[in-house]
C-alpha cells in the first residue's frame, strides 16, 4: 500500500508527484506533526509514508493516501465536513486545518478518546469526535459540504448519501473484486454521481447498521 518506507521529510514531494499542489493542503501537512497522532511506542514510524497499526486490527493510513483523499474534496475553508473513522485523529487534524468545522465519528470509544486528546494537544479547536455508528452519519448536523470515509463498503451507505449537501463531495473506498478503490462522488439533483476513481488501496471494512451487503 503506497510509497513504502518513504521518509516523511519528502512527503511534500511525494504529494506533488501525485499531482496535488493545493497550497492549503501542503500547509496542513507541514503544520500537522504525525507523531502526535500515532501510539507512542511506534511514534518513530511517523517519519515514514506508511500505515501504522493503532489497535482493533486497523491502521492509520499512510499520509500520501490521506492527502489524496482530502485533496479530492477541494476544501476552501468554509465547509462543514463529516469524517467516518477518526482513528488517532491525524486525518481529522488535517481536515480541521482546511475546513471550518469537522464532525468525526469513531466506532471504538478508546480510539475516540485518544483522538480527542491528540487533537487537543495539537491545538485543534474546530473538530468534534463522537462515538457511534458511522454508517448512520450525523443527521442532527447535516447537511455536510464534504464527507470522507476511512473504511471500505460495497457502496455508499444511504444515510451518508442523504446527508451530503447538493453539490458536495464524498470520498469513500469502494469494495471491488481485487482491491478497494477510493472513489469520489458528488450530489446532483439529489442523487449521488460518481466523478472519478482515485486509487486502489486496502481499508478495513466499514461496519454498521447501514453498510450495504456485498454481492455474493
Amino acid at each position: 500500500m503506497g510509497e513504502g518506507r518513504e521518509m516523511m521529510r519528502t512527503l511534500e514531494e511525494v504529494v506533488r508527484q501525485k499531482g496535488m499542489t493545493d497550497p492549503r493542503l501542503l500547509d496542513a501537512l507541514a503544520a500537522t506533526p504525525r507523531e502526535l497522532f500515532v501510539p507512542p511506542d511506534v511514534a518513530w514510524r511517523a517519519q515514514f509514508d506508511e500505515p501504522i497499526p493503532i489497535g482493533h486490527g486497523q491502521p492509520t493510513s499512510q499520509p500520501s493516501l490521506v492527502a489524496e483523499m482530502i485533496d479530492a474534496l477541494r476544501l476552501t475553508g468554509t465547509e462543514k465536513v463529516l469524517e467516518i473513522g477518526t482513528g488517532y485523529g491525524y486525518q481529522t487534524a488535517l481536515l480541521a486545518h482546511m475546513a471550518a468545522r469537522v464532525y468525526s465519528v469513531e466506532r471504538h470509544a478508546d480510539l475516540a478518546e485518544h483522538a480527542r486528546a491528540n487533537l487537543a494537544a495539537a491545538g485543534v479547536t474546530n473538530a468534534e469526535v463522537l462515538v457511534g455508528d458511522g454508517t448512520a452519519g450525523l443527521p442532527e448536523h447535516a447537511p455536510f459540504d464534504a464527507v470522507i470515509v476511512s473504511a471500505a463498503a460495497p457502496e455508499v451507505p444511504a444515510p451518508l448519501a442523504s446527508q451530503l449537501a447538493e453539490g458536495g463531495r464524498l470520498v469513500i473506498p469502494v469494495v471491488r473484486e481485487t482491491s478497494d478503490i477510493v472513489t469520489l462522488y458528488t450530489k446532483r439533483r439529489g442523487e449521488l454521481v460518481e466523478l472519478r476513481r482515485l486509487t486502489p488501496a486496502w481499508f478495513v471494512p466499514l461496519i454498521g447498521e447501514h453498510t450495504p451487503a456485498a454481492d455474493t
Side-chain angles (χ1 to χ4, degrees):
M1 179 175 165
E3 304 294 331
R5 299 185 76 83
E6 186 93 37
M7 293 294 290
M8 279 293 290
R9 66 173 179 266
T10 66
L11 178 59
E12 183 174 342
E13 178 181 330
V14 171
V15 167
R16 287 183 181 276
Q17 287 175 347
K18 287 178 174 285
M20 293 171 274
T21 58
D22 181 354
R24 299 181 67 253
L25 173 61
L26 299 176
D27 286 348
L29 290 165
T32 306
R34 192 187 185 211
E35 61 270 19
L36 295 182
F37 295 93
V38 298
D41 61 335
V42 291
W44 63 271
R45 293 178 57 181
Q47 64 186 306
F48 299 109
D49 186 34
E50 65 181 22
I52 296 177
I54 56 173
H56 299 283
Q58 61 190 52
T60 179
S61 297
Q62 72 245 46
S64 61
L65 177 58
V66 172
E68 189 169 4
M69 293 175 68
I70 293 176
D71 188 59
L73 297 176
R74 296 291 187 263
L75 299 175
T76 64
T78 63
E79 296 86 358
K80 180 169 59 174
V81 179
L82 174 63
E83 177 190 37
I84 306 303
T86 317
Y88 262 53
Y90 178 65
Q91 180 174 265
T92 317
L94 294 174
L95 291 166
H97 192 92
M98 299 182 65
R101 185 72 181 169
V102 180
Y103 293 93
S104 186
V105 182
E106 172 54 53
R107 191 165 65 93
H108 300 288
D110 59 327
L111 293 184
E113 190 59 34
H114 283 303
R116 293 189 191 106
N118 295 340
L119 291 164
V124 176
T125 59
N126 61 330
E128 182 176 351
V129 177
L130 303 102
V131 177
D133 179 356
T135 69
L138 292 172
E140 64 272 27
H141 295 295
F144 297 96
D145 304 298
V147 177
I148 186 167
V149 183
S150 298
E155 60 186 66
V156 179
L160 302 185
S162 68
Q163 292 169 36
L164 182 66
E166 185 74 13
R169 288 183 164 230
L170 183 152
V171 174
I172 183 173
V174 177
V175 178
R176 304 294 182 186
E177 288 185 4
T178 58
S179 69
D180 304 327
I181 303 295
V182 180
T183 305
L184 172 66
Y185 297 86
T186 189
K187 181 180 278 189
R188 295 174 182 162
R189 299 181 181 178
E191 299 292 332
L192 277 188
V193 177
E194 181 180 317
L195 291 180
R196 61 189 173 98
R197 299 180 181 185
L198 304 180
T199 186
W202 178 88
F203 287 81
V204 296
L206 181 62
I207 297 173
E209 180 182 353
H210 303 280
T211 303
D215 294 335
T216 58

